[in-house]
Amino acid sequence: MRFLLALALAVPGAPGGGDPYFPDQGNGGYDAGHYDLVLDYNPSSNALTGALTLTARSTQDLSAFDLDLVDTLAVRSVTVDGAAAAFSQKGQELVVTPAAALANGQDFTVAVRYDGKPTHVLDPDGSRDGWIRTSDGVFNANEPQGAMTWYPGNHHMTDKATYRFTVTVPDDRVAVANGDLTSKRSGGGRTTFVWDAREPMASYLTTVSIGKFQLTDAKIGNYRTIVAVDPKLAGKATAFAQRHAPILDYFSSLFGPYPFSSTGGIVDHEPNVGYALETQTRPIYPSVPGEGTLSHELAHQWFGDSVTPTRWKDIWLNEGFATYAEWLWLDRTGAKPLQTSFDTAYAQPADFWEMPPGDPGSGAAIFDDPVYDRGAMTLHVLRRTVGDAAFFTILRTWTSEHRYGNADTQAFVALSQRIAGRDLSALFTTWLYKPGKPAL
Ligand code: ARG
Ligand code: ZN
C-alpha cells in the first residue's frame, strides 16, 4: 500500500542544483555514490565512446531524473537497474525516465552508453574548460562546468562520489586520471589504464587527461607520487615528482593530514589554456609550474578538494586559502616574506578593491584577482587578529570537521568565532562583503 502510494506521488527530480551562478548544474532527486566510467578514445579523430555505470540513491519518490551531459554527445542507451529506460537530451540535460518509478531512499544503478566528439565549453570569464584537445591528446580541466562535456553525472559540487576510470587509448598514449593507478594492460595496439579515486570527489575536480606522457609512479617521502609529463619536458619528471613531498609535509603540519591516498601532477604542454587546476590528488598544469603555482594547487587538496564550497559564490574558500598557503610556502622557502606578499597585494590600485571577494556577483568573476588576493589578505588579517595558535586551530578544525564534505562562508565565520571566542563579524563583513579598501 505504501509502496503504491509512493509510486503514485513520484515526481521528476529538479533539472538543476540551484546554484545562482550556474543554475543548470547538478540535478535534484538523487545522490550519486560511485561512478564507474569506461572510456575509449582515439586522439587522432577525437572519437570518444563512453559507458557510465552510476550507483545512486533517490532522495524523493522519483518518476524521472536528469544527468548533466552536453547534447553534442549522443546517448545510445540508458538502463535503470538493468531495465531499459526512456531518455531524451536537451542542452546539458539528459532526462531519464525509468520503467518503474523509484521510491524515496532507494539504491539504484543507472547505466548510460554514449559517444561523440567532445569539445570544451567556454566559461563566462572567457576561459576554456572541459575536454580541451591538445596536439597529442586532451588537457582535461573541469572547473567550473567542463565535466558535462565528457561524461554524464550530477555535476554539482555538493554531490561528491567515488570514481573508477577505465580508459583505453592507443599504445603510444597515456591516460591519467585522479586517484591510484590500479591496473594497466595492453593488447591489439591499445592500452587500458584503470584509475581508482576512492575518496569522495566533486565532479569539477575529476580529470582524464591523455597525451604522450612520460609516467612515473614512486613512493616519495610519505606519498605515492604519480606524475605525467609531456614529452617536450622529458627528463623533468623525476625532479618534478620530488618537489611534492616537502610542500605536502609542510602543509600537513599546518592544515592537518594530507587527505588523499596519492599525489602527483599532470604537466601538459598547452600554454594557451592559461591556468592550472587542482584536479583531485593530481593537479593539471599547462606547463612546468613554479613553486607558487605548485604549492597553490597542492594547498587546494585541503581547501577546495577535501573541503569544498557549497556554491560558487563562496569560491574564496578555495582561492583565498590556496593563495594564502602559497604565500606561506614562499615565506618558508625564503623566496618571499609573508608580509611582502600581503603588502604587495594590499598596494593594488583602487579598481582592485571594488569587488568584495565573498560576493563575486556572477560566474564571470569567480576567478578574478580579488577572490585570490583579497581572500588571502582576509586570512592574514584574521590571523593577526586572533593570533597564530587560534588561527591554525581554526584551519585544522575546518579541514577535519568538513573532510570530504562541503561548507560555506557562514560556517567558516562561525568556526572562527567559536575558536577565537569572540565576535569577528566586523572583520569578515569588511574584508569579504564591503566594496572598497579596508583600513588596517
Ligand atoms: N582553480 C584554478 C586555480 O587554482 C583556476 C581555474 C580557472 N578556471 C577557469 N575556468 N577560469 O586557480
Ligand atoms: Zn586556485
Side-chain angles (χ1 to χ4, degrees):
M1 184 62 187
R2 264 192 74 196
F3 185 61
L4 290 176
L5 196 62
L7 296 189
L9 296 176
V11 292
D19 190 281
Y21 294 179
F22 297 94
D24 296 333
Q25 203 169 65
N27 308 285
Y30 65 96
D31 258 329
H34 180 77
Y35 291 80
D36 188 330
L37 185 59
V38 179
L39 301 177
D40 189 294
Y41 185 60
N42 182 339
S44 50
S45 64
N46 191 35
L48 177 73
T49 304
L52 169 71
T53 306
L54 169 63
T55 52
R57 178 174 294 175
S58 55
T59 56
Q60 65 177 67
D61 297 330
L62 203 55
S63 60
F65 59 90
D66 286 16
L67 296 164
D68 298 318
L69 179 74
V70 292
D71 62 7
T72 45
L73 296 175
V75 173
R76 303 297 177 185
S77 70
V78 180
T79 64
V80 173
D81 291 333
F87 63 91
S88 64
Q89 290 183 266
K90 192 170 187 227
Q92 67 181 73
E93 304 299 325
L94 165 61
V95 184
V96 176
T97 307
L102 300 161
N104 187 16
Q106 193 176 324
D107 290 320
F108 65 98
T109 299
V110 52
V112 181
R113 294 185 167 276
Y114 63 101
D115 57 65
K117 301 198 170 182
T119 58
H120 58 266
V121 281
L122 205 56
D123 292 328
D125 69 357
S127 335
R128 291 176 295 165
D129 143 54
W131 196 263
I132 301 171
R133 274 184 93 185
T134 62
S135 59
D136 62 353
V138 189
F139 180 102
N140 184 222
N142 299 294
E143 187 188 28
Q145 49 175 356
M148 66 180 176
T149 70
W150 58 284
Y151 70 98
N154 194 24
H155 296 316
H156 192 279
M157 66 211 318
T158 58
D159 196 2
K160 295 191 179 190
T162 54
Y163 285 78
R164 167 174 284 182
F165 305 95
T166 302
V167 190
T168 301
V169 289
D171 268 344
D172 62 346
R173 310 297 153 113
V174 169
V176 199
N178 314 90
D180 305 336
L181 179 62
T182 47
S183 121
K184 182 186 159 186
R185 50 181 190 267
S186 296
R190 299 177 71 73
T191 301
T192 300
F193 296 83
V194 180
W195 296 86
D196 278 298
R198 298 181 179 94
E199 297 100 5
M201 174 159 63
S203 78
Y204 81 86
L205 296 166
T206 58
T207 188
V208 168
S209 288
I210 295 162
K212 292 181 178 170
F213 295 123
Q214 180 186 347
L215 190 68
T216 63
D217 181 352
K219 178 119 194 231
I220 304 179
N222 293 321
Y223 315 93
R224 180 175 179 186
T225 308
I226 306 178
V227 153
V229 303
D230 188 87
K232 292 190 186 66
L233 314 162
K236 301 215 168 140
T238 307
F240 174 67
Q242 278 165 346
R243 293 166 61 200
H244 291 67
I247 300 174
L248 296 175
D249 282 346
Y250 182 53
F251 286 167
S252 301
S253 77
L254 298 176
F255 310 145
Y258 176 69
F260 304 118
S261 60
S262 62
T263 183
I266 305 163
V267 184
D268 210 334
H269 178 74
E270 195 56 27
N272 293 332
V273 168
Y275 63 84
L277 182 66
E278 63 270 23
T279 38
Q280 190 157 304
T281 65
R282 195 149 297 108
I284 183 162
Y285 306 92
S287 58
V288 180
E291 286 294 287
T293 300
L294 180 63
S295 60
H296 179 106
E297 306 309 339
L298 292 178
H300 271 308
Q301 304 304 309
W302 284 262
F303 304 112
D305 295 13
S306 176
V307 185
T308 307
T310 47
R311 50 183 183 181
W312 290 108
K313 182 181 192 239
D314 290 328
I315 190 72
W316 84 280
L317 294 170
N318 290 7
E319 302 307 345
F321 284 56
T323 301
Y324 193 60
E326 182 185 334
W327 292 358
L328 293 172
W329 176 246
L330 295 179
D331 180 80
R332 169 82 165 186
T333 62
K336 194 192 275 190
L338 176 62
Q339 195 58 42
T340 305
S341 291
F342 180 91
D343 293 344
T344 307
Y346 191 70
Q348 290 181 83
D351 61 340
F352 168 86
W353 296 98
E354 282 162 20
M355 190 192 102
D359 191 6
S362 80
I366 55 177
F367 302 115
D368 283 2
D369 289 350
V371 171
Y372 289 73
D373 294 350
R374 189 165 162 181
M377 283 186 273
T378 303
L379 292 175
H380 193 61
V381 170
L382 173 66
R383 179 177 172 183
R384 288 286 176 261
T385 304
V386 303
D388 284 7
F391 177 73
F392 287 106
T393 302
I394 292 166
L395 295 190
R396 279 193 290 273
T397 308
W398 181 249
T399 61
S400 72
E401 283 188 355
H402 301 292
R403 185 176 167 100
Y404 306 142
N406 298 84
D408 60 12
T409 302
Q410 207 189 321
F412 185 73
V413 172
L415 172 68
S416 300
Q417 298 188 139
R418 189 176 98 214
I419 290 182
R422 58 195 274 193
D423 178 42
L424 297 163
S425 53
L427 184 161
F428 283 111
T429 303
T430 305
W431 278 90
L432 293 178
Y433 297 114
K434 278 214 184 105
K437 183 171 181 170
L440 289 179

